[in-house]
Amino acid sequence: MAGGIVIAASGNKGYPGKLTGKVFITCIVAAMGGLIFGYDIGISGGVTSMPQFLKKFFPDVYRKEELNIGGTNQYCKFNSQTLTMFTSSLYLAALVASCFASIVTRTCGRKISMVLGGSLFLVGAIVNGLATNRLMLYIGRAFLGCGVGFANQSVPVYLSEMAPYKYRGALNMFFQMSITIGILAANLINYFTSKMKNGNGWRYSLGLAAVPAIIFIIGSLCLPDTPNSLIERGKQEEAKERLRKIRGVENVDEEFEDLVNASIESKKIKHPWAKLLSRKYRPQLIFVTFIPFFQQLTGMNVFMFYAPVLFKTIGFGNKASLMSSLITGIVNCASTLVSIFTVDRFGRRVLFLEGGVQMFICQVIITICIGLKFGVNGNPGVLENWYALVVVIAICVYVAGFAWSWGPLGWLVPSEILPLEVRSAGQSVNVSVNMIFTFFIAEVYLEMMCVFKFGLFIFFSVFVFGMTIFIYKLLPETKGIPIEEMAEIWKAHPCWRRYVVDRNEKPPNVMSYEMTEEVKIETKEV
C-alpha cells in the first residue's frame, strides 16, 4: 500500500469570493454549538469528584473515597458502574439521536437541526439541575445527549458549506474552539462551585449547562441556511442570492452550477445510507469511520471528562485536582488557536502527524511516571512537588498536541470530504462512531484503570501510534480544495483511485505528487 504521499492541487477550480464579515460572524455563531458538547465534557468530571454529589447519588463511591473503605489502592477507588453510567449515558443517547439528526438535517435544513439540538440540551440541563435522584440524572443526561447528537451532526456540515474553500479549515475549527471554551468554562465553574459550603455546588454546575444551550438556540435562530441546503430543498433562486451575499461577489455562476449539479446527483440517490456503502464512496466511509474511532482512543476524553478524578487518582488533593484540570482546560483552549492559524497554511496532514508523535511521546512519559511511583498496588505514599509538576507538564503537552491536531481535524476532515449526496449520512456515521467510542471510554475507563493500572496509558499509546501510521499512509491533503471538487483527490491517490475511477476513465492530471523513492516502489506494488 502506498504511503507518505502528498497530493497537492495544481489545477482545481478557484471559485471567486472572499472571506466576508457576514460569513465570519455566521461561522462564529454556528460554531457555538460546540459550547454544549464542551461544557458537558468538562462539567462531568468535576461534578463526579465533588463529595456532596457522590454522597447524594453514589454513596458507595463516596464511602471508598472519603472514608477510605476498601484500602488505599488509588487505581480502583472510583470504580463504580453506576458512576460511569452517569457520564456515559449521554453519549449513548447522542449515538441514537445522530441517526435521526441525519434525516432532519437533509430534509429540513442544517438550521432546524441546530435549533432542535440546543432545545433538547436545554431540557436536559434543567432536569439535571433539579435532580433529586439517579433517575432524574439519567433522564437529564439522555436529553443532553440528544442535543449533542443533533448539534455535532449539523454544525460541522454547516461550517464546511458556508466557508469559502480557502478558509474552510480555520472557520470549521471554530467548532473545536467552542468545545474547548465550553470545557474551560465548565472547569472554572466546577472550581468555584466546589467551594460552596451549602454542598449544592454540583447543582449549579449541572444547571448552568442551560447557558450555552440558550446561546446556541438564539444564535441558530438568527442564522441563514446554507446555499447547499436551500438547493437541496428546491429553493434555487434564494440559494443563488445567498451565495452572492456570503461570497461577497456577483459572479458566483460557476460555484452555483456545481452546487446545483451536486444536488441533482444527490436527489438521484434515494437511500444515501446504502449508497455510502458502495465502492465509489469507500475512501469517505473509511475516513468518517476511522478518524472518530482513533480520535476517541487517543485517551484525550479520559483527561477531559475524568480530569479531576484522574488527578485525584494519582494523588492530588480535591482542590488541587480541580486546579490541575483547569490548567489543562486553558492549555486545550489556547492550543486550538494554533490549529486555526496553521491548518490552511500547513495543511491537515502535517498537523495530524505532528500531533500524533507528540501525544505518543507524552503518553510514554506519563506511563513511566505513574508506573515508577504507583507500581501495581496503587499506593504512592508521599508525592513530591517535582513529581506532580512533571505529570502535569506531560499531560499539558499531550493535551496541546491533541488540541491542534486530532481534536479539531477529527471534525473538519470528515465534514469536508463528503459529497453532497451522502453528506448527511456520512456525517451521521462520523458522529455515531464518535459517540460509540466516547461511550465506550466513559463506560469502561474506571474499570480499566483498576485492572490495567498504569498500563492504561500504554493501551492508548498503541492506538496513537497506529492512527499516525494510518494518516501517513492513506490520507491525501485536502487543503485549498473546494468542497464540491473534493472527489478529485481520491481519483489521484494511488491507493484510492482503484475504488473511485471507472475502468475506462483515466486519473485526472490536475494533481501533482511528491513521493520518496520508497513510496514510489510501494505505489508500483499497489
Side-chain angles (χ1 to χ4, degrees):
M1 184 175 289
I5 298 174
V6 179
I7 301 178
S10 59
N12 281 30
K13 295 179 181 180
Y15 300 129
K18 54 188 176 182
L19 179 58
T20 63
K22 182 179 180 64
V23 167
F24 183 78
I25 294 173
T26 296
C27 289
I28 294 293
V29 173
M32 293 299 176
L35 287 175
I36 62 176
F37 190 29
Y39 187 89
D40 183 80
I41 291 174
I43 214 71
S44 300
V47 165
T48 53
S49 71
M50 294 182 186
Q52 292 302 318
F53 176 80
L54 294 175
K55 185 177 182 180
K56 183 175 181 63
F57 296 105
F58 304 98
D60 56 329
V61 179
Y62 173 78
R63 288 194 297 271
K64 286 194 292 184
E65 163 61 16
E66 296 297 318
L67 306 179
N68 198 31
I69 295 176
T72 58
N73 190 327
Q74 300 293 311
Y75 292 124
C76 299
K77 64 182 181 180
F78 286 97
N79 186 21
S80 167
Q81 191 62 39
T82 54
L83 180 61
T84 55
M85 181 56 70
F86 165 74
T87 300
S88 62
S89 57
L90 179 145
Y91 305 103
L92 188 61
L95 165 64
V96 176
S98 65
C99 299
F100 293 98
S102 171
I103 300 172
V104 174
T105 301
R106 180 181 172 93
T107 58
C108 302
R110 287 60 166 148
K111 177 178 176 177
I112 295 297
S113 189
M114 291 159 65
V115 172
L116 186 56
S119 301
L120 290 168
F121 195 89
L122 177 60
V123 173
I126 294 172
V127 173
N128 268 358
L130 299 175
T132 57
N133 52 57
R134 281 187 195 172
L135 180 61
M136 287 187 70
L137 279 182
Y138 293 147
I139 291 173
R141 295 291 288 175
F143 276 104
L144 292 174
C146 290
V148 168
F150 271 86
N152 287 9
Q153 205 280 338
S154 55
V155 172
V157 171
Y158 184 94
L159 293 172
S160 290
E161 291 180 346
M162 287 294 286
Y165 71 94
K166 292 180 180 178
Y167 305 99
R168 186 177 62 246
L171 292 177
N172 195 292
M173 284 190 172
F174 278 114
F175 179 65
Q176 177 67 18
M177 186 68 195
S178 291
I179 292 176
T180 62
I181 292 173
I183 293 171
L184 178 59
N187 287 333
L188 279 168
I189 290 170
N190 279 335
Y191 181 72
F192 289 107
T193 57
S194 67
K195 297 180 178 181
M196 295 178 68
K197 295 182 179 180
N198 62 7
N200 286 325
W202 61 269
R203 196 178 292 280
Y204 289 95
S205 291
L206 295 177
L208 284 172
V211 175
I214 293 171
I215 292 173
F216 184 42
I217 292 170
I218 295 174
S220 298
L221 288 171
C222 298
L223 292 175
D225 225 330
T226 67
N228 310 63
S229 180
L230 291 171
I231 292 171
E232 256 188 326
R233 290 176 284 144
K235 302 178 181 181
Q236 295 197 6
E237 290 302 319
E238 185 180 348
K240 192 168 188 178
E241 185 59 31
R242 180 70 44 76
L243 193 60
R244 289 194 183 102
K245 289 181 179 179
I246 65 176
R247 297 294 180 252
V249 295
E250 286 297 314
N251 181 18
V252 294
D253 292 344
E254 185 179 22
E255 183 175 3
F256 180 74
E257 183 180 347
D258 285 344
L259 293 179
V260 171
N261 290 336
S263 179
I264 292 172
E265 291 300 315
S266 173
K267 290 179 179 178
K268 292 178 182 178
I269 299 174
K270 302 300 181 182
H271 305 288
W273 289 87
K275 192 67 176 179
L276 186 61
L277 298 175
S278 65
R279 181 181 178 87
K280 179 181 178 181
Y281 301 104
R282 187 70 50 79
Q284 291 94 333
L285 179 60
I286 286 177
F287 281 103
V288 299
T289 302
F290 279 91
I291 285 180
F293 165 77
F294 283 126
Q295 186 194 54
Q296 297 312 306
L297 286 171
T298 59
M300 179 61 179
N301 273 352
V302 168
F303 295 109
M304 287 298 99
F305 53 65
Y306 283 126
V309 172
L310 175 64
F311 282 116
K312 288 184 75 173
T313 296
I314 59 178
F316 292 75
N318 187 41
K319 296 296 186 294
S321 69
L322 286 169
M323 176 58 75
S324 298
S325 64
L326 178 60
I327 292 172
T328 59
I330 294 172
V331 170
N332 188 25
C333 190
S335 299
T336 304
L337 287 171
V338 175
S339 65
I340 291 175
F341 290 109
T342 58
V343 67
D344 288 318
R345 175 174 297 182
F346 299 115
R348 285 59 160 156
R349 280 174 54 87
V350 171
L351 293 181
F352 263 134
L353 297 175
E354 190 282 332
V357 171
Q358 183 172 325
M359 286 188 287
F360 179 78
I361 293 173
C362 289
Q363 283 177 323
V364 171
I365 294 173
I366 293 169
T367 300
I368 293 172
C369 288
I370 296 179
L372 290 176
K373 194 67 179 177
F374 286 78
V376 294
N377 62 12
N379 186 3
V382 179
L383 293 176
E384 298 84 353
N385 289 335
W386 66 265
Y387 167 85
L389 182 63
V390 170
V391 173
V392 170
I393 290 175
I395 290 176
C396 285
V397 175
Y398 167 87
V399 168
F402 178 89
W404 63 52
S405 63
W406 279 84
L409 292 173
W411 296 107
L412 167 61
V413 173
S415 69
E416 71 180 358
I417 64 175
L418 291 161
L420 183 62
E421 60 267 25
V422 293
R423 189 167 297 156
S424 293
Q427 182 63 12
S428 184
V429 171
N430 179 40
V431 175
S432 297
V433 174
N434 190 297
M435 293 301 123
I436 286 172
F437 286 96
T438 304
F439 170 79
F440 168 76
I441 295 298
E443 184 69 15
V444 304
Y445 162 67
L446 295 176
E447 178 70 27
M448 291 174 69
M449 175 68 85
C450 185
V451 174
F452 288 3
K453 302 176 173 55
F454 65 88
L456 177 62
F457 298 98
I458 299 176
F459 172 84
F460 288 124
S461 68
V462 171
F463 286 98
V464 172
F465 180 81
M467 73 192 194
T468 305
I469 300 300
F470 171 77
I471 292 297
Y472 176 74
K473 290 282 189 181
L474 298 177
L475 182 67
E477 183 56 67
T478 58
K479 178 189 73 172
I481 301 175
I483 192 170
E484 302 304 337
E485 293 291 306
M486 198 65 71
E488 300 302 311
I489 66 173
W490 312 114
K491 293 179 181 179
H493 194 282
C495 173
W496 300 120
R497 66 186 178 196
R498 56 179 169 173
Y499 294 99
V500 300
V501 176
D502 295 333
R503 292 182 178 180
N504 297 325
E505 181 183 358
K506 293 182 179 179
N509 295 319
V510 298
M511 299 291 177
S512 61
Y513 298 83
E514 298 175 11
M515 292 185 280
T516 63
E517 289 301 316
E518 178 183 354
V519 172
K520 290 179 181 178
I521 295 173
E522 291 179 353
T523 304
K524 291 179 181 178
E525 293 176 354
V526 172

